[in-house]
Every structure is written in structure tokens, then in C-alpha cells.
Amino acid sequence: MFGNFDFQAIVRGWHALIFEGLAFTLEVTFLAMIGGTILGTVFAMMRLSSTKPLAWFAGAYVNLLRSVPLVMVIFWFYFMAPYIGAWIIGAERPVQVGAFASALITFILFEACYYCEIMRAGIQSIPAGQANAGYALGFSYWQLMRLVILPQAFRNMLPVLLTQTIVLFQDVSLVYIISLPDFVTIASKIAQRDNRLVEMYLFVAVVYFALCLALSYVVRRLRARLTIIR
Amino acid sequence: MEKDEKTGEKAPPMILLDKVGKFYGNFRVLSECSTQVAKGEVVVVCGPSGSGKSTLIKCVNGLEPFQEGEILVNGVSVGAASTDLPKLRSHVGMVFQNFELFPHMTILENLTIAQTKVIKRDKAEAEQRAAELLHRVGLHIHATRYPGQLSGGQQQRVAIARALAMDPICMLFDEPTSALDPEMISEVLDVMTELAQDGMTMMCVTHEMGFAKRVAHRVAFIDQGQIVEDVSKDEFFDHPRSERAAQFLSRILHH
Ligand SMILES: Nc1ncnc2c1ncn2[C@@H]1O[C@H](COP(=O)(O)OP(=O)(O)OP(=O)(O)O)[C@@H](O)[C@H]1O
Ligand SMILES: [Mg+2]
């Protein structure tokens, strides 16, 4: 199998792989991380809200999405999005939602569930006395969250949020199902065209491994730095 | 801090509790609690652990909702649905057992954040006020540090300064010294004593009977959610009327 390993196959293909495939994957990862964290934080506040319907809705949403395989969600959302979009804006015909937008929205909606649970734990880890102190100074709920609770929760949870982002980074490869040009998809196209499966997938694995290793190193450094604060 | 000139006239009380009752679920924590704190008066609230002191004092600025009775702070009803609670709280200072400084902000930011965000002072004015107060509690050199870098006693003095930065009309204290090591208690009590002597209206939950003897005008004793004694300081220490208060006093004074 390794007998005719052709290193040249990688040399020929790496430019497209990195600057198209990997760039795409990183872009989706980054945007989904930002969107997912924001949406997840909103869901976390809803889950912890004393307004029962809000808490119920967020809880149901999180538990439902977490029980469905991501690849199914990507697939179904891709086919449903034009109809959902039409329903939201009240259009007659299905609206055009590109594969990229569809995938990005899916990742944001899906990852928000995980970021929600992380942020929920983060918010709950802040002692109740902090909220009392904020309220006693005259803060509104939103000021309390924005100025006191969320900055601390976010800081405490940063390592876990980034660990979840590593998972997200790996999950982005699932967009092959709707034929988006992510890192793995491009690699497999080249692999089939040149009949160089081993070389391509080995290269992909090495890059994934290196990036995840680098990110976990960052996470570990952060963990060490952030623990001094309190 | 402006000094309140004591006039001889009978003014309406700064804090008025009228038959306050509160439940946690089915559990009754407070029943028929009535007391008042006049402008410039210092009232010490004491009682055994679990008697409801923290709950009572948190009701005063609406941190805990209550189901029965009424609380008026400077004439404003705390329990009324129409009351703007953030506004009311912004001029009622509160100091907690565990300091509750914001650990992600510097000492200076702890003192300015509510000034700029709640009462909309501009930054320079807020920092000026913060600096004054840090001077007053003797901690101005620590302005750029974080709470975690200060001792407990220093943190509590910062917490008092943080409350004072809002120019409160009265101050609430919930066991401000009971989380402190013994050698730090007096530095906090000194700040509180000075505050009382400057004429601040204060409601203090504390077991520091020395402090009560020195600065309190009245003492309210709570047991099992009821105010069983609410008398002048001298009367409380010299002739406690209820047996429970007498027992409490003998236990706390003789050890
Ligand atoms: N959130 C809560 N839910 C249910 N019960 C509570 C809650 N908070 C306090 N209690 C109960 O209410 C009673 C009064 O509590 P509180 O904290 O006011 O007492 P305390 O006098 O301040 O006591 P300590 O001296 O220990 O601070 C206690 O029996 C306590 O167990
Ligand atoms: Mg208490």
C-alpha cells in the first residue's frame, strides 16, 4: 500500500487544499463559533430565565437538536431552508439559500446547543452574591449580565468553549454531504482524480492533527493563565 | 460625604418595615417584622444563625421579594409593582458578608462602573469620586489592582467605598465582618464607625457587640423570623426583656 507512495501528489495539490479547502473550513469554523457562542449565550440565559415558556423553549430546542446526528441536520436543513426562508419572509416561492449560507446557519444553530450548555454552566458557576451585588448597585438584568455575569462566565469557560470549537472544526467536514468545497471534500476530489487516496487522506489527517494539537495547546495555556484571576 | 445635621424634628423614617412576612415556598422565614430606621440612625440587627437576618435586610432593597406587609425606603414602597427597583437600589448602599467585588475589574473600575452605567456620571467625575473614597478608606494605592490581590479586610473596605460612591441615602450591611480573619475585623469596623459618626443612616446585621455598643442607637433582635426585641442600645444590653435575647447575649458576650 505504501509501496508506491507518491509524495508529488501532495506537492501538486497542496495549494488548492490549503487555500481553498482549509481556508473554507476555517472560515466556517470561525463564523459558526462566533454565531454559535452568541446564540448559545442567549439560549443559556433563556434556560436560566424565571420566565417558564422561555426556559422551556430553550430546553426543548437544545435537547432536541442534541439528539439528532449533525449530518442529518445539515442534510435536512439544506433541503428545507428554501421553504423555511419563504415561510419566514412570507414569500410565495421557495427562496434561494446558497449551500454556504445553509451550512453556516446549520452549524450556528447546532453548535449553539453545545455552547448554550457550556455558557449555562459558566453562568451557574458565578456565585449568587455577584448578582445581588450588581442589583444592589442599581444594575438592570441586562446590565448585570453584560457587565458582571457574562464576562466572568465567558472567561471561566473559555477553555471549554475552545475545546468545543475543536469539535466544530472537525465537524465541518460533514458538509461533503451537500458538496461544499471544504478541506476533506477537496482532498477527496483530488484523490479520486489522481487516484492518490492514501497520500491525500494522510495529508488531511496530518493537517487536522497539527491544527487540533495547536489549538489544544492554546487551550492549555489559557487554562493556566486564567486560573490566577480569582 | 455630606453630614446630616440632626434636627430635633420628627422626620418620616428613612426605612420603615410594617408587618413584613416572607415565605420560601411553604416555609415561613419572616413574620410580622416591623421596625424603622430614622434618618441618621444606626440600627443593629442581630439574632441566632438562620433566624432570617439576611433575608430581612435583602427585603429592604428588594433583593428578596416578600409576600406580606410593606417596606418604605425614603417614602418609596419597595414591594409595589410600580416601583423602579434599580433606581431605588442605586441610592441604597449594600455591603455583603463575602464582599462581592467584581473580580474581573480593577478596584477603580469596581468603584466607577455603577456610577457611569447607573447614574450616568461622566468618567472623569466618577474616577474623581472613586479616588476620594479610596483615600478615605486608605486604599488609594491599590486602585489599579484586582480584588483577588487584596486581603479580606481591604476588599471589604473597597466594597464599602463602592457602595458610598453612589452617594447612598442609607446603607445596609449583612454581617460585613464575619468572613474576616480576626485581625482584619477592626479595620472594617473603624470605617463603619466613622461612617456612622458622619451621620449615615445604617441598618447593620452584625454580631460585633462592641460595635453595637459604640455606635448603634437601637438594636433589633430577631429569632425564628420574628423581631422579638426592638429597643434602644442601652436597654438591650442592660435589660434585655426577652429570655431569648438574654440567652443570645450571654452566649455571644462570654466567649
Ligand atoms: N433561598 C432559600 N430557599 C429556602 N430557604 C432559605 C433560602 N435562603 C434562606 N433560607 C432559610 O431561611 C432561613 C433564614 O435564612 P437567613 O439566611 O436569612 O438567616 P440568617 O439569620 O442570615 O442566618 P446566618 O446567621 O446564618 O447568616 C434559614 O432557615 C434558611 O435555611
Ligand atoms: Mg445571614
Side-chain angles (χ1 to χ4, degrees), chain A residues 127-140 143-144 146-149 151-152 155 229-230, chain B residues 58 61 63 86-87 89-90 92 94 96 100-105 113-114 117-118 120 148 162-163 166:
Chain A
Q130 287 282 302
N132 280 336
Y135 282 134
L137 287 167
F139 289 151
S140 66
Q143 285 178 322
L144 179 80
R146 188 162 49 85
L147 302 170
V148 178
I149 307 294
Q152 292 186 62
R155 196 175 280 215
I229 286 166
R230 204 177 242 273
Chain B
K58 280 190 215 148
N61 65 353
L63 286 180
K87 186 169 172 225
R89 289 170 183 148
S90 71
V92 175
M94 185 156 192
F96 300 87
E100 304 300 351
L101 295 176
F102 304 132
H104 58 302
M105 297 180 193
I113 185 88
K117 301 288 177 180
V118 179
K120 313 286 181 199
R162 177 176 70 176
M166 303 292 282

Side-chain angles (χ1 to χ4, degrees), chain B residues 54 97 174-175:
Chain B
S54 299
Q97 185 170 357
D174 186 7
E175 304 206 36

